[in-house]
Amino acid sequence: MTTGFDLFTDRAVVAMRVDGELQDLARELTETQTVESGAVEPVTIDSPDGLDILRHSAAHVLAQAVQRVNPEAKLGIGPPIQDGFYYDFDVAEAFSSDELKALEKEMQRIVKAGQRFVRRVVTDDEARAELADEPYKLELIGLKGGAAAAAEGASVEVGAGELTIYDNVDPKTGEVQWKDLCRGPHLPSTRLIQNGFALTRVAGAYWRGKTDQPQLQRIYGTAWPTKDELRAYQQRLEEAAKRDHRKLGRELDLFSFPDEIGSGLSVWHPRGGIVRGEMEQHARRRHIEQGYSYVYTPHITKRDLFETSNHLVTYADGIWPPIHMDEERDDEGNVTKQGVDYYLKPMNCPMHILIYKERSRSYRDLPLRLAENGTVYRNELSGALHGLTRVRGFTQDDAHLFVTPEQLEEETTNVLEFVLSLLSDFGLTDFRLELSMRDDEKSKWIGDEAIWETATDALRRVAKASGLEVTEEPGEAAFYGPKIDLKVTDAIGRSWQLSTVQLDFNLPERFDLEYTAPDGSKQRPIMIHRALFGSIERFFAILLEHYAGAFPVWLAPVQVVGVPVAEDFADYLDEIAAQLRARGVRVEVDRSDERMQKKIRSHTLAKVPFQLIAGATDREAGSVSFRFRDGTQDNGVPVDEAIARIVEAIETKAHV
């Protein structure tokens, strides 16, 4: 029989896609499965699929190394993730940084040995017998088809269909050196991992992500096709560490997370509040120009609302525990009036639906565009929290649009164009789109297939008309409708998901939404969920890291600082500052006792866009000296010209 090895001799090819399914090169092919027929495609190590396979194979090598060093370690799950991989272990003592170095050396020995990854199909009973000493693997075997939903990363181990074990085989002796429950595929040989891998850190992780389960030790790593690519990635990490929004937030006095308030709950300091306020006010102006109406809804609601929306079922783990209210008791403690459970809202959409339902709607009222900067609360696990990008309380720049089927394509086009235009205002320009489509399995989505197809085709046309790169993702849509996700690449090459345009056929049905059509009949509107920033907190963090704290002038907390050469010239700068304030500029004059050079350095570190320096010559000439963030200086600029330049930089949203 022909295998992938016969078809592809290029060492860069590490797997193949056969009839759409990723497979090892060692898998046998039928006579009709050929490259010419289009049934078989090569997967190179530098492709997205190839990188996942490389990283998954590296995770296996890590697990083998751990059990060589510590035979008592029990295996959890080890999937590839963005830019790397991890593997969970149940060990008596936490791994230290010194142990990571030792594990890297052991991994290198396994890599150099050139062990082959060999796939083997087993029955459930055979798998249980072979992995009898691995309790977590036994649990996954029991979950099998439901494992992907039951545990993050479990889909790499088991899924619907046959069970497989991968053996790591010594190429010289043919002896099995190690094995793991796994769906694959894998690299042909550990030698292809080369020296482009590194272990990065250790963290705690609950088994299957549940706090009532054992806490395991998770080792993270990264793997790349070459050492040079690994070094480039490590350099990006170093740059990212310098730009970490948590670090910059402290240094620039923007926000904090007081222990007294609780994990994942932020407070915004005056300077951070200025930036956030500018973001919100600009977005609000643009929304109103686009025909959106702003609404306000409470932070808490009775359980009935989330029962109707079904969020208490579909989103149960993400909702905070209920607050029981309004119960009444007599003097003997007997309940005379039943109480009601209230919940902090995890999303705004059900309340916007109630605004729609408040009165009868005609086709003339549509599209109806409701917007809100609505604060929501999510019951995130403490281990998942990360600065402003993953919090328990955050504000969504949320919008819900109610449209007729005939309006869907035009309205979605308008939404996408608006999203791109507004994000460009913030200096973001490198975008791409992902179109999430329904699964082939009918049980995974609701509604009429024809409506799904029509809506998906409309989104596809909208996405392609944008001129951006579009990736289609079959099976990735929510059960209630297709969506477009917009992703942006930041200044150091990282990809972030921002805006989502999500169609919803489900909630209009659950809430029995209607509008009167031109013929007098009652029809069901289509609902569009749209968060442009995603959340204001997360978008702020992305911008902060994108600009490394040096915001464009219009967003900078302090736009201008006056630095007098000596105290005698402070009054002169105060007069200029008054003129700038009259033009809406955020300006301060530094009257501290520090030496001038120290003042300049302090304000440079604070990322202030413009420093205006003035001494005797400037006062006599009615001028100032500009000093910019990069240390360059422009001397003897007339005051009127200086003010005009500053105002222009703000109005044009320049980055200086």
Side-chain angles (χ1 to χ4, degrees):
M1 294 290 289
T2 301
T3 69
F5 289 119
D6 299 313
L7 297 183
F8 307 111
T9 57
D10 184 349
R11 279 176 54 84
V13 177
V14 294
M16 58 185 173
R17 190 174 285 278
V18 182
D19 295 328
E21 178 189 354
L22 284 173
Q23 294 186 6
D24 300 304
L25 289 176
R27 294 280 291 274
E28 294 181 344
L29 301 167
T30 66
E31 291 183 2
T32 60
Q33 291 173 329
T34 64
V35 175
E36 291 74 19
S37 70
V40 183
E41 300 173 281
V43 175
T44 58
I45 197 167
D46 58 355
S47 68
D49 286 334
L51 287 171
D52 279 347
I53 293 167
L54 165 66
R55 289 159 182 164
H56 189 193
S57 298
H60 273 228
V61 171
L62 165 62
Q64 183 183 357
V66 167
Q67 290 197 316
R68 276 188 178 182
V69 173
N70 181 2
E72 300 304 313
K74 303 303 180 187
L75 302 175
I77 295 170
I81 56 175
Q82 182 175 344
D83 294 336
F85 60 90
Y86 68 76
Y87 212 113
D88 292 339
F89 303 95
D90 191 348
V91 288
E93 295 183 6
F95 295 103
S96 67
S97 56
D98 287 340
E99 285 177 299
L100 288 191
K101 294 176 183 175
L103 287 172
E104 278 190 355
K105 291 181 180 177
E106 190 61 42
M107 289 176 69
Q108 197 62 60
R109 294 187 189 98
I110 296 169
V111 168
K112 289 181 178 178
Q115 294 178 4
R116 292 184 293 113
F117 290 94
V118 179
R119 180 179 183 271
R120 182 160 49 89
V121 178
V122 293
T123 66
D124 289 16
D125 288 341
E126 288 170 339
R128 289 190 180 97
E130 290 195 46
L131 301 169
D133 294 331
E134 296 289 356
Y136 301 105
K137 301 294 184 182
L138 295 177
E139 189 171 335
L140 290 177
I141 295 169
L143 293 168
K144 207 173 178 182
E152 178 189 1
S155 61
V156 302
E157 310 261 343
V158 295
E162 59 191 8
L163 279 178
T164 52
I165 285 177
Y166 270 79
D167 297 324
N168 279 38
V169 176
D170 187 305
K172 297 178 181 177
T173 65
E175 295 179 356
V176 174
Q177 302 296 303
W178 186 80
K179 60 189 171 187
D180 195 6
L181 182 71
C182 185
R183 297 176 72 188
H186 280 285
L187 301 175
S189 165
T190 60
R191 192 177 293 278
L192 290 172
I193 298 173
Q194 302 187 76
N195 56 359
F197 72 90
L199 301 182
T200 54
R201 62 188 177 96
V202 180
Y206 290 106
W207 169 240
R208 293 174 56 191
K210 299 182 181 295
T211 55
D212 59 350
Q213 296 288 334
Q215 188 171 59
L216 309 181
Q217 286 285 294
R218 176 171 293 178
I219 298 180
Y220 286 91
T222 186
W224 300 84
T226 66
K227 185 73 170 181
D228 287 343
E229 289 170 276
L230 171 64
R231 285 174 177 156
Y233 170 71
Q234 291 170 330
Q235 288 169 357
R236 291 197 299 273
L237 284 186
E238 291 171 5
E239 181 60 30
K242 296 175 187 175
R243 294 170 178 255
D244 190 318
H245 73 277
R246 296 167 298 176
K247 171 177 172 286
L248 291 172
R250 289 190 302 271
E251 293 174 354
L252 301 178
D253 193 21
L254 302 175
F255 59 86
S256 59
F257 291 87
D259 290 337
E260 295 86 345
I261 294 178
S263 300
L265 300 169
S266 61
V267 295
W268 292 71
H269 302 188
R271 294 193 173 192
I274 289 171
V275 183
R276 176 170 175 162
E278 288 288 344
M279 290 167 52
E280 292 177 345
Q281 291 159 25
H282 179 70
R284 183 184 181 91
R285 286 191 295 269
R286 293 291 313 273
H287 276 81
I288 292 171
E289 291 170 1
Q290 291 290 317
Y292 287 77
S293 299
Y294 271 83
V295 299
Y296 298 87
T297 60
H299 292 222
I300 190 170
T301 179
K302 291 191 296 186
R303 70 173 292 128
D304 300 15
L305 182 62
F306 291 128
E307 283 181 338
T308 303
S309 70
N310 209 37
H311 284 117
L312 283 178
V313 175
T314 60
Y315 202 71
D317 291 342
I319 298 179
W320 283 63
I323 304 167
H324 196 66
M325 298 285 291
D326 302 333
E327 181 179 279
E328 295 181 6
R329 295 175 179 264
D330 61 22
D331 294 340
E332 297 177 356
N334 300 309
V335 176
T336 59
K337 178 185 175 183
Q338 292 295 327
V340 178
D341 284 343
Y342 283 75
Y343 288 88
L344 291 169
K345 63 176 179 180
M347 54 272 299
N348 302 299
C349 42
M351 295 186 180
H352 290 188
I353 288 172
L354 295 184
I355 294 173
Y356 181 97
K357 280 179 65 74
E358 187 63 23
R359 64 181 181 85
S360 298
R361 304 287 178 179
S362 160
Y363 71 94
R364 294 187 179 91
D365 299 321
L366 307 184
L368 179 64
R369 309 178 187 99
L370 302 180
E372 177 181 16
N373 287 336
T375 300
V376 297
Y377 303 88
R378 305 279 173 89
N379 190 14
E380 299 282 2
L381 295 173
S382 59
L385 300 175
H386 184 81
L388 291 176
T389 60
R390 195 76 176 266
V391 289
R392 286 174 168 161
F394 57 92
T395 302
Q396 290 183 308
D397 65 319
D398 222 351
H400 295 94
L401 298 86
F402 302 88
V403 303
T404 68
E406 296 78 17
Q407 295 168 337
L408 177 63
E409 186 165 344
E410 180 181 359
E411 194 63 18
T412 306
T413 298
N414 293 340
V415 167
L416 187 56
E417 289 176 351
F418 177 44
V419 166
L420 295 171
S421 172
L422 185 51
L423 292 179
S424 297
D425 290 346
F426 291 90
L428 301 173
T429 57
D430 190 352
F431 305 117
R432 67 185 187 283
L433 302 175
E434 288 185 358
L435 173 61
S436 296
M437 304 182 294
R438 67 173 174 82
D439 198 282
D440 289 336
E441 190 176 326
K442 179 65 176 78
S443 63
K444 294 184 178 180
W445 50 276
I446 62 171
D448 182 84
E449 183 173 353
I451 294 176
W452 269 85
E453 288 301 318
T454 299
T456 302
D457 287 343
L459 289 187
R460 182 182 290 111
R461 287 192 295 272
V462 168
K464 290 186 175 179
S466 72
L468 299 175
E469 175 190 342
V470 181
T471 302
E472 296 193 358
E473 300 287 352
E476 292 300 314
F479 70 91
Y480 47 82
K483 66 174 179 174
I484 293 175
D485 286 323
L486 183 141
K487 297 195 172 183
V488 63
T489 301
D490 70 9
I492 56 174
R494 296 173 301 180
S495 178
W496 300 89
Q497 181 175 319
L498 288 179
S499 310
T500 294
V501 181
Q502 170 73 65
L503 306 191
D504 191 342
F505 314 126
N506 176 49
L507 287 180
E509 189 77 30
R510 296 190 69 88
F511 282 89
D512 195 26
L513 300 188
E514 293 180 336
Y515 68 90
T516 303
D519 63 1
S521 64
K522 297 295 184 182
Q523 300 294 328
R524 191 82 71 207
I526 296 173
M527 188 175 178
I528 303 175
H529 302 256
R530 193 241 63 194
L532 191 152
F533 296 150
S535 84
I536 291 173
E537 286 80 358
R538 184 170 176 272
F539 186 67
F540 178 92
I542 291 169
L543 281 184
L544 184 56
E545 295 192 5
H546 177 67
Y547 288 114
F551 288 110
V553 185
W554 73 284
L555 285 175
V558 178
Q559 295 165 324
V560 181
V561 169
V563 179
V565 172
E567 180 62 28
D568 291 346
F569 310 108
D571 290 343
Y572 172 66
L573 284 171
D574 277 336
E575 293 172 5
I576 299 171
Q579 296 180 61
L580 286 167
R581 288 192 192 96
R583 301 290 296 273
V585 178
R586 295 185 290 274
V587 57
E588 298 174 355
V589 175
D590 189 340
R591 285 179 169 269
S592 68
D593 294 332
E594 300 291 350
R595 293 171 53 250
M596 184 185 74
Q597 292 303 323
K598 187 169 183 181
K599 291 180 183 181
I600 291 172
R601 174 171 169 74
S602 296
H603 299 306
T604 300
L605 292 174
K607 319 284 188 181
V608 176
F610 299 115
Q611 295 183 53
L612 300 184
I613 302 170
T617 303
D618 294 297
R619 185 169 62 183
E620 290 170 8
S623 64
V624 291
S625 294
F626 267 94
R627 187 176 179 89
F628 304 98
R629 284 166 168 157
D630 63 2
T632 59
Q633 200 156 306
D634 192 356
N635 298 323
V637 180
V639 170
D640 288 346
E641 181 185 333
I643 292 172
R645 285 168 62 173
I646 291 167
V647 171
E648 182 185 12
I650 294 169
E651 291 177 346
T652 60
K653 297 180 171 53
H655 187 244
V656 300

